[in-house]
Coordinates of all heavy atoms in Angstrom, one line a residue:
V6 N 121.0 26.2 135.0 CA 120.6 27.3 135.9 C 121.7 28.3 135.6 O 122.9 28.1 135.8 CB 120.7 26.8 137.4 CG1 120.4 28.0 138.3 CG2 119.8 25.7 137.7
A7 N 121.2 29.5 135.2 CA 122.1 30.5 134.7 C 121.7 31.9 135.2 O 120.6 32.1 135.6 CB 122.1 30.5 133.2
S8 N 122.7 32.8 135.2 CA 122.5 34.2 135.6 C 121.5 34.9 134.6 O 121.7 34.8 133.4 CB 123.8 34.9 135.7 OG 123.7 36.2 136.2
N9 N 120.6 35.7 135.2 CA 119.7 36.4 134.4 C 120.3 37.7 133.8 O 120.0 38.8 134.2 CB 118.4 36.7 135.2 CG 117.3 37.2 134.4 OD1 117.3 37.3 133.2 ND2 116.2 37.7 135.1
I10 N 121.2 37.5 132.9 CA 121.8 38.6 132.2 C 121.7 38.3 130.7 O 121.6 37.2 130.2 CB 123.3 38.7 132.6 CG1 124.1 37.4 132.3 CG2 123.4 39.1 134.0 CD1 125.6 37.5 132.5
S14 N 119.7 35.5 129.1 CA 118.3 35.6 129.3 C 117.5 35.6 127.9 O 116.3 35.5 127.9 CB 117.9 36.8 130.1 OG 118.4 38.0 129.5
D19 N 112.8 31.3 131.2 CA 112.8 31.0 132.6 C 111.7 30.0 133.0 O 110.6 30.2 132.6 CB 112.7 32.3 133.5 CG 113.1 32.1 134.9 OD1 113.9 31.1 135.2 OD2 112.7 32.9 135.7
Y20 N 112.1 29.0 133.7 CA 111.2 27.9 134.1 C 110.6 27.1 132.9 O 109.6 26.4 133.1 CB 110.1 28.4 135.1 CG 110.7 28.6 136.5 CD1 111.2 29.8 136.8 CD2 110.7 27.5 137.4 CE1 111.8 30.0 138.1 CE2 111.2 27.7 138.6 CZ 111.8 28.9 139.0 OH 112.3 29.1 140.3
I24 N 116.5 27.7 134.2 CA 116.1 28.4 135.3 C 117.1 29.6 135.4 O 118.3 29.4 135.4 CB 116.2 27.6 136.6 CG1 115.4 26.3 136.5 CG2 115.8 28.5 137.8 CD1 113.9 26.5 136.6
L25 N 116.6 30.8 135.6 CA 117.4 32.0 135.7 C 117.5 32.5 137.2 O 116.4 32.5 137.9 CB 116.9 33.1 134.8 CG 116.9 32.8 133.3 CD1 116.2 33.9 132.6 CD2 118.3 32.6 132.8
F26 N 118.6 32.9 137.6 CA 118.8 33.4 139.0 C 119.3 34.9 138.9 O 119.8 35.3 137.9 CB 119.7 32.6 139.9 CG 121.1 32.6 139.5 CD1 122.0 33.6 140.0 CD2 121.7 31.7 138.6 CE1 123.3 33.6 139.7 CE2 123.0 31.7 138.2 CZ 123.8 32.7 138.8
N27 N 119.0 35.6 139.9 CA 119.4 37.0 139.9 C 120.9 37.1 140.0 O 121.5 36.5 140.9 CB 118.8 37.8 141.1 CG 117.3 37.8 141.0 OD1 116.7 38.1 139.9 ND2 116.5 37.6 142.1
P28 N 121.5 37.9 139.1 CA 123.0 38.0 139.1 C 123.5 38.6 140.4 O 122.9 39.4 141.0 CB 123.3 39.0 137.9 CG 122.0 39.4 137.4 CD 120.9 38.7 138.1
G29 N 124.6 38.0 140.9 CA 125.3 38.5 142.1 C 124.5 38.1 143.3 O 124.8 38.6 144.4
N30 N 123.6 37.1 143.2 CA 122.8 36.7 144.4 C 123.0 35.2 144.6 O 122.2 34.4 144.1 CB 121.3 37.1 144.1 CG 120.5 36.8 145.3 OD1 120.8 36.0 146.2 ND2 119.3 37.5 145.4
P31 N 124.0 34.8 145.4 CA 124.3 33.4 145.6 C 123.1 32.7 146.3 O 122.9 31.5 146.1 CB 125.5 33.4 146.5 CG 125.7 34.8 147.0 CD 125.0 35.7 146.1
Q32 N 122.3 33.4 147.2 CA 121.2 32.8 147.8 C 120.1 32.4 146.8 O 119.5 31.3 146.9 CB 120.5 33.8 148.9 CG 121.4 34.0 150.0 CD 122.5 35.1 149.8 OE1 122.4 35.8 148.8 NE2 123.4 35.3 150.7
D33 N 119.9 33.3 145.8 CA 118.9 33.0 144.7 C 119.4 31.8 143.9 O 118.6 30.9 143.6 CB 118.7 34.2 143.9 CG 117.5 34.0 142.9 OD1 116.4 33.4 143.4 OD2 117.5 34.4 141.8
L34 N 120.7 31.8 143.6 CA 121.3 30.6 142.8 C 121.1 29.3 143.6 O 120.6 28.4 143.1 CB 122.8 30.9 142.6 CG 123.6 29.7 142.0 CD1 123.0 29.2 140.7 CD2 125.0 30.1 141.9
S35 N 121.4 29.4 144.9 CA 121.3 28.2 145.7 C 119.8 27.7 145.8 O 119.5 26.5 145.6 CB 121.8 28.5 147.1 OG 121.5 27.4 148.0
K36 N 118.9 28.7 145.9 CA 117.5 28.3 146.0 C 117.0 27.7 144.7 O 116.3 26.7 144.7 CB 116.7 29.6 146.2 CG 115.2 29.5 146.2 CD 114.5 30.8 146.4 CE 113.1 30.7 145.8 NZ 112.6 32.0 145.4
K37 N 117.4 28.2 143.5 CA 117.0 27.7 142.2 C 117.6 26.3 142.0 O 116.9 25.4 141.5 CB 117.4 28.6 141.1 CG 116.8 30.0 141.3 CD 115.4 30.1 141.0 CE 114.7 31.4 141.3 NZ 114.9 32.5 140.3
V38 N 118.9 26.1 142.4 CA 119.5 24.8 142.2 C 118.8 23.7 143.1 O 118.4 22.6 142.6 CB 121.0 24.8 142.5 CG1 121.6 23.4 142.6 CG2 121.7 25.6 141.5

Side-chain angles (χ1 to χ4, degrees):
V6 178
S8 185
N9 190 7
I10 58 171
S14 60
D19 199 19
Y20 282 89
I24 307 286
L25 298 173
F26 69 92
N27 295 319
N30 186 335
Q32 293 82 11
D33 191 40
L34 170 59
S35 174
K36 176 184 157 204
K37 302 290 174 75
V38 169

